[in-house]
Amino acid sequence: MNHYPLTEDHIRFYEKNGYIQLDNVLDNSEVEVLRKALAQAVEDKNKYNLNLGPRTDESYAKVFLQMVNLWERYPVLEDYVHNVRVAEIARRLTRSKFVRLWHDQALIKYPKDSKATAWHQDTVYWPMNEAGGLSCWMALDDVTMERGCMWFVPGSHKLGPLPPIDLGNVSPDNLDAVLPLSFKGVKPVAVELKPGSCTFHNGLTFHYAGPNVTDIPRRAMATIFIPAGTTYKKHTHIVGDRGNLHVGEEFHGPLFPVLARA
Ligand SMILES: O=C(O)CCC(=O)C(=O)O
């Protein structure tokens, strides 16, 4: 497996802005494998109750189809979470000895009756004492603004954790409602991606995705990584309370495998 040519400048950009765009991380054949696996998961979603949307809130279903921990069911997606080229980027961006998997998720924003993903930080929904977790959001389609690309507020990870937002019940575009005054002048950045290109974002960085107003679905496969030293805190989360961890204990065990190590 050849490593992605990540430079010290990339790492510094990530540290300063809380996100980074990296192009051509996967090639066409790797993207095609993921598309096929997602198509299978979509077909299986009722059989295995994979879609988190209806389980949380009806309005959520228009935001996206969200299927988590697919790596446990589909060997091809297990291979993908272990893709060292991707995981090694996460390890180096966090300057960590190793990174573990927190969970994966397929995020498919269907066209037409589509809602935006509201501005939010991720970390505030996660059962962890430390910040530092980050997501790789891999585009499997041409993801333009019209198709619901991701937007980030540069530097907003430096705000630290703010009170969580009720994602089903907010006006999704209202960035002013979620950012403190000190950030009012900071312009969000839209990141359009080609298939196989991705963003990595810090779990504290405010991000958003617009509705999909095109005719085809927007498919993304996200992997969430946690750096060495991340410890467990009791907190309700969509993936459930997994791994029998004690409060304050470092994440470990087969549900949170190490994916890259220095
Ligand atoms: O895919 C989206 O619309 C939003 C994804 C997101 O919030 C995330 O990956 O943290």
Side-chain angles (χ1 to χ4, degrees):
M1 172 74 56
N2 58 331
H3 285 304
Y4 188 82
L6 195 77
T7 63
E8 184 61 24
D9 282 352
H10 286 131
I11 299 171
R12 292 216 185 103
F13 182 96
Y14 173 80
E15 287 172 337
K16 179 170 176 222
N17 295 289
Y19 76 94
I20 188 163
Q21 170 179 355
L22 297 173
D23 290 333
N24 304 317
V25 173
L26 300 184
D27 65 27
N28 289 343
S29 62
E30 291 168 314
V31 169
E32 199 45 44
V33 167
L34 295 184
R35 285 180 182 149
K36 283 209 177 97
L38 258 60
Q40 186 61 53
V42 170
E43 207 177 305
D44 294 344
K45 72 178 189 311
N46 294 334
K47 184 160 74 174
Y48 299 130
N49 198 20
L50 296 176
N51 182 10
L52 283 182
R55 274 188 268 160
T56 47
D57 179 337
E58 271 305 311
S59 62
Y60 206 62
K62 292 183 183 170
V63 177
F64 41 44
L65 166 63
Q66 181 179 22
M67 299 181 284
V68 305
N69 280 326
L70 296 178
W71 69 283
E72 292 178 304
R73 192 174 294 280
Y74 301 100
V76 154
L77 295 177
E78 182 175 10
D79 287 350
Y80 176 63
V81 295
H82 283 91
N83 181 316
V84 178
R85 196 178 326 130
V86 178
E88 179 64 7
I89 295 171
R91 189 192 72 74
R92 291 199 50 216
L93 288 176
T94 52
R95 300 188 192 272
S96 183
K97 278 202 305 269
F98 61 82
V99 284
R100 289 184 183 277
L101 176 68
W102 158 226
H103 68 85
D104 69 11
Q105 54 184 351
L107 298 165
I108 305 178
K109 214 180 244 299
Y110 284 102
K112 299 286 168 356
D113 192 12
S114 164
K115 276 178 61 174
T117 315
W119 285 103
H120 67 283
Q121 296 174 300
D122 295 330
T123 311
V124 294
Y125 306 99
W126 292 346
M128 289 152 203
N129 290 305
E130 300 77 14
L134 72 168
S135 298
C136 170
W137 195 97
M138 183 63 69
L140 305 184
D141 291 296
D142 214 342
V143 182
T144 56
M145 277 198 223
E146 294 72 32
R147 197 162 284 134
C149 75
M150 293 274 271
W151 293 67
F152 301 96
V153 180
S156 54
H157 58 307
K158 299 206 171 125
L159 289 166
L162 297 182
I165 290 144
D166 178 359
L167 289 171
N169 287 307
V170 284
S171 164
D173 306 296
N174 195 350
L175 182 56
D176 282 346
V178 299
L179 278 184
L181 267 177
S182 58
F183 260 72
K184 292 287 188 259
V186 180
K187 284 225 169 343
V189 176
V191 183
E192 299 192 315
L193 295 170
K194 296 282 179 206
S197 297
C198 65
T199 49
F200 281 78
H201 69 269
N202 183 310
L204 286 171
T205 305
F206 273 94
H207 56 285
Y208 157 95
N212 180 358
V213 297
T214 68
D215 292 331
I216 67 159
R218 183 220 71 182
R219 293 167 294 181
M221 188 66 209
T223 315
I224 306 177
F225 301 91
I226 46 176
T230 306
T231 62
Y232 173 74
K233 126 174 137 184
K234 195 137 192 78
H235 189 73
T236 310
H237 183 268
I238 49 167
V239 305
D241 204 0
R242 287 156 55 87
N244 292 319
L245 299 172
H246 299 291
V247 171
E249 187 181 17
E250 185 162 346
F251 276 78
H252 66 275
L255 296 181
F256 313 108
V258 171
L259 301 176
R261 193 185 278 282

